Amino acid sequence: NYMNIINRSYSRLSKNRVLTIEVFIASLALFFQAPQVFAGRPFDGTDPALVGVNEFEIKLGPLDFKRDASKLNWHTPMFGLNYGLTENWELNFGVEAERADHHEDRFRENASEIGVKHLLRKGSIQGYSGLSVAMELSLEKSSEVATRTGSSLAAIIGNQWDWGSLYLNVAAERTPEQENEVFTGIIFEGNSDNRLRPVAEFTRVSSKHASTEYAGLLGFIYEPFENIAFDFAVKRTHGNGRGESVFRLGATIVLAGN
């Protein structure tokens, strides 16, 4: 299955670090031409932009890694794929994997997700005037709660100026553990015409049976080619009486369809 393929690929990369993911991605950029890569890289939220019709957006990461007193944890949507169904509809798919510590040789599947994003109003993000508005519906399956499915419905509003863009996310979520949560977040992204641009995100997650969690993220996006972007960010989370720092690395490629 695909998790075995991921683990075999990880072992090969570990033995030959010269063949890096960055080299592979940069090679792809020589053969494909596609529109500009938009936000969504290191963030928990997203933007009201869609990939073009018949175009694919491939997401590698974000790779999260954090260390506590006992072990080093790795967690990543190892593979994400967005596909432009129509001008106003996008299909999303993602697989999350986890490597509990550096002594483990294998990644294990943690969760999978499928969803759709619908553009409700074209605005400044699409080159028009005013706010851009979209909604996103997704279903999530967790390996820890295999018999139940989570779901979420999100509203996404964004606007673009000469100095950068802001995106607001508000989502109602039902987790696979059958907990109700409300996610709110605001994203800042620097001028998309710049190859290297700063990014930031502030989020709040509230639920009935757990304390409210707050998080802040700072980082940057580097876009060496029009259809490829790398990202790096540091996220600090506070909730349940403790704080946690997470480092994120990721890459995104957009491939043009026929």
Side-chain angles (χ1 to χ4, degrees), residues 69 92 121 167 218 228:
N92 307 316
R121 184 185 188 277
Y167 314 117
L218 292 174
I228 177 173

Side-chain angles (χ1 to χ4, degrees), residues 111-216:
S112 58
E113 185 177 77
I114 187 170
V116 291
K117 185 192 288 187
H118 178 47
L119 182 62
L120 298 173
R121 184 185 188 277
K122 295 180 179 179
S124 57
I125 306 299
Q126 288 77 30
Y128 297 86
S129 61
L131 297 175
S132 298
V133 182
M135 63 172 290
E136 189 172 55
L137 174 66
S138 61
L139 300 175
E140 179 184 353
K141 199 74 173 177
S142 172
S143 60
E144 297 180 359
V145 191
T147 59
R148 295 179 178 177
T149 301
S151 61
S152 69
L153 179 63
I156 310 147
I157 302 172
N159 199 47
Q160 183 173 276
W161 297 270
D162 293 337
W163 48 265
S165 303
L166 290 176
Y167 314 117
L168 174 66
N169 287 246
V170 179
E173 303 177 357
R174 178 76 167 175
T175 69
E177 294 78 16
Q178 305 303 291
E179 290 285 343
N180 295 322
E181 295 182 347
V182 176
F183 171 89
T184 55
I186 185 167
I187 297 171
F188 161 75
E189 181 177 0
N191 190 322
S192 58
D193 292 332
N194 298 330
R195 289 192 174 185
L196 181 65
R197 53 188 182 269
V199 295
E201 181 182 36
F202 301 95
T203 62
R204 178 182 184 271
V205 179
S206 59
S207 63
K208 183 177 181 181
H209 300 103
S211 62
T212 300
E213 180 180 279
Y214 297 91

Side-chain angles (χ1 to χ4, degrees), residues 8 18 35 40 52 80 82 89 107 111 141 145 159 192 211 213 219 237 239 244 250:
R8 289 197 297 270
V18 176
N82 299 334
W89 288 92
F107 282 93
K141 199 74 173 177
V145 191
N159 199 47
S192 58
S211 62
E213 180 180 279
T237 303
E244 183 177 80

Side-chain angles (χ1 to χ4, degrees), residues 79-92:
F79 177 79
L81 178 68
N82 299 334
Y83 174 69
L85 294 170
T86 69
E87 185 177 353
N88 296 320
W89 288 92
E90 177 184 281
L91 177 66
N92 307 316

Side-chain angles (χ1 to χ4, degrees), residues 2 24 26-27 34 38 49 87 95 100 123 214 224-225 243 247 258:
Y2 58 84
F24 168 70
S27 299
F38 284 92
E87 185 177 353
V95 177
Y214 297 91
F225 304 98
F247 297 89
N258 296 326

